[in-house]
Amino acid sequence: MLKMIYSSILAGVCISIGCIVNLKVGGYLGPFLFCFGLLTIIHYRFKLFTGVSGFVGSWRDMKEALCIVLPGNIVGCALTALIVYTTLPEVREAAEAMVSKRNALGVLDALSLSVLCGFIVTAAVQFAREGRYLPLLFGIPLFIFAGFVHCIADGFYYSMGVANFDFNSLIVWLTSIVGNFIGCNLYRWPVKLD
């Protein structure tokens, strides 16, 4: 269990590093550099909520994803934000702008944008687990360019943009967790046409 907690925290750190680079570099390059975080997570088999949500096979797996992996990811995001909060003011300002954008989302928008993100992440992770990394290198920038919502990346943005975090932010973030989980499992519910 300690290994899973540590692995989950490190996954949050990796996503946060991707967020930092994306916010600092921006443009077309930032979202591609964000991929470093996911590549590191997959290489070291760290536990990322959106990386494990699409592969839960039991209630025990579900409980681990929600009660260990998700909180561990958020701790990793918060720790990283704590480290760079004062040292990278430009990242803090960009994160505050991101939080303002998230606050402008309604629940349905947050849900739909996070479902799409979850679907992309699970597909990218599945391909990467099979040694095919191209879908990850294109899928992650795809969800960033499209403006889809990733609950763990938002965990970093909210930690950095804490000044703009309010009750609405909490509702949007909780909605994105549900949406990511649904999106991560869409491939399990194919429509059967007769």
Side-chain angles (χ1 to χ4, degrees):
M1 175 131 124
L2 283 176
K3 184 177 178 183
M4 183 178 289
I5 292 169
Y6 185 64
S7 173
S8 300
I9 292 170
L10 288 177
V13 170
C14 290
I15 290 298
S16 298
I17 290 169
C19 291
I20 290 166
V21 171
N22 183 39
L23 291 176
K24 277 188 73 82
V25 174
Y28 291 108
L29 185 58
F32 283 99
L33 294 175
F34 184 98
C35 292
F36 174 80
L38 267 293
L39 288 168
T40 304
I41 289 167
I42 288 168
H43 177 76
Y44 288 111
R45 299 176 195 256
F46 293 154
K47 300 291 184 185
L48 179 67
F49 177 73
T50 52
V52 300
S53 290
F55 305 98
V56 294
S58 67
W59 285 108
R60 181 176 180 264
D61 293 345
M62 173 85 80
K63 192 168 97 175
E64 284 178 352
L66 290 171
C67 299
I68 298 171
V69 176
L70 179 61
N73 291 166
I74 299 310
V75 167
C77 291
L79 289 173
T80 308
L82 186 65
I83 292 167
V84 300
Y85 189 80
T86 57
T87 56
L88 297 174
E90 68 279 13
V91 171
R92 185 180 65 245
E93 290 167 10
E96 288 170 354
M98 183 68 75
V99 171
S100 294
K101 284 182 189 177
R102 293 296 191 253
N103 287 345
L105 292 175
V107 171
L108 289 177
D109 291 338
L111 183 68
S112 60
L113 294 174
S114 57
V115 166
L116 295 170
C117 176
F119 183 76
I120 291 169
V121 171
T122 296
V125 167
Q126 181 59 38
F127 278 108
R129 284 179 172 186
E130 297 168 0
R132 297 180 283 172
Y133 295 97
L134 216 49
L136 187 136
L137 294 173
F138 286 102
I140 303 313
L142 177 76
F143 87 69
I144 294 171
F145 287 133
F148 297 161
V149 179
H150 187 272
C151 65
I152 306 305
D154 280 4
F156 173 76
Y157 299 138
Y158 288 137
S159 296
M160 286 295 285
V162 71
N164 293 349
F165 191 82
D166 58 15
F167 182 72
N168 183 61
S169 305
L170 179 63
I171 298 301
V172 168
W173 183 65
L174 293 174
T175 301
S176 73
I177 293 169
V178 172
N180 281 166
F181 186 83
I182 292 169
C184 288
N185 286 282
L186 279 180
Y187 77 96
R188 295 182 189 227
W189 306 315
V191 177
K192 294 183 178 180
L193 300 174
D194 292 329

